[in-house]
Amino acid sequence: MSKALIVVDVQPTFCEGGELGVEGGNAVAERIADYVNAHRGEYAYIATTHDWHIEPGAHWSAEPDFVDTWPKHGAAGTSNAELHPAIKALGVEHHFKKGQYSAAYSGFEGIEDNTDRIQTREEVSAEQAAGKTLADALKTAGVSRVDVVGIAESHCVKDTALDARKLGFEVTVFEDLTVPVSEELGVAARKQMAAAGIALIDSDIPAANA
């Protein structure tokens, strides 16, 4: 069974000190790095996703409701939109940028772009049409099982995992390698994922690294 690991939105913008910092984000980044270093050989495909907002419309708001609108975050070309240093150091080859010109929560909405370019709307649309998507990449890699980790469990991790399940993959979310925006939202997300048939388990990182 070919397996893929999707590392969702582990960026400074979503960690402590970032524009939408989630408590525990930096610690999760370090645990994910430990996990990848210990288990990299088990995966046929590893990819990251990240918010790369250029002009995302109403997704950014000066008066956010924190449901559909948010403070400015993940701004393309800024240091906080880069991968977290612990994840960047892993040297992952495949990176999917999402939300360039709209809201985007699932990594399956992104396009593969392994540069730091500021793409035009036309470029983003053309690359989506050309199949530079996560779904096509996993299909090409012959993947049947997807493990999902990252930030935040209650939002982009959940939506990425649910989309993977809808596409027919066997999906696992490692509970110790993700963190929700709040415990209340985390509970709701876990219920939704479990109802969709997603396995919610802890990874087997050695205790010394956890």
Side-chain angles (χ1 to χ4, degrees):
M1 180 182 297
S2 293
K3 187 166 62 166
L5 177 68
I6 310 302
V7 180
V8 176
D9 294 11
V10 184
Q11 305 164 256
T13 199
F14 297 124
C15 295
E16 292 89 341
E19 297 90 342
L20 276 179
V22 177
E23 184 177 353
N26 284 315
V28 159
E30 297 291 345
R31 289 200 299 272
I32 291 171
D34 287 342
Y35 178 83
V36 174
N37 282 323
H39 296 275
R40 180 172 236 142
E42 299 173 15
Y43 292 96
Y45 190 88
I46 301 177
T48 71
T49 75
H50 51 146
D51 270 9
W52 192 249
H53 295 313
I54 300 170
E55 294 177 8
H59 186 63
W60 281 349
S61 173
E63 298 181 354
D65 63 15
F66 294 93
V67 177
D68 298 309
T69 59
W70 307 87
K72 187 174 181 179
H73 64 279
T78 67
S79 59
N80 275 2
E82 299 293 330
L83 293 174
H84 188 284
I87 304 303
K88 187 179 291 188
L90 296 170
V92 174
E93 295 181 3
H94 303 287
H95 308 284
F96 290 83
K97 306 273 180 51
K98 59 187 174 68
Q100 291 90 335
Y101 293 98
S102 64
Y105 296 91
S106 170
F108 288 92
E109 297 177 77
I111 57 169
E112 183 165 6
D113 183 3
N114 303 313
T115 75
D116 289 327
R117 294 185 302 114
I118 306 298
Q119 310 101 320
T120 66
R121 291 176 187 271
E122 292 74 21
E123 285 176 320
V124 172
S125 295
E127 293 188 352
Q128 286 175 330
K132 291 189 69 175
T133 63
L134 182 55
D136 281 5
L138 296 178
K139 181 179 178 181
T140 299
V143 165
S144 57
R145 174 178 166 186
V146 174
D147 293 343
V148 183
V149 302
I151 306 172
E153 179 184 31
S154 48
H155 292 77
C156 296
V157 167
K158 177 195 72 175
D159 283 14
T160 300
L162 288 172
D163 275 357
R165 191 75 189 100
K166 289 173 186 174
L167 288 166
F169 296 105
E170 179 183 338
V171 183
T172 297
V173 171
F174 290 126
E175 286 293 289
D176 57 327
L177 302 182
T178 187
V179 62
V181 168
S182 69
E183 184 52 34
E184 180 182 7
L185 291 175
V187 169
R190 290 189 287 275
K191 287 180 178 178
Q192 189 175 354
M193 289 189 287
I198 294 168
L200 304 171
I201 62 174
D202 280 348
S203 72
D204 57 350
I205 298 176
N209 293 333

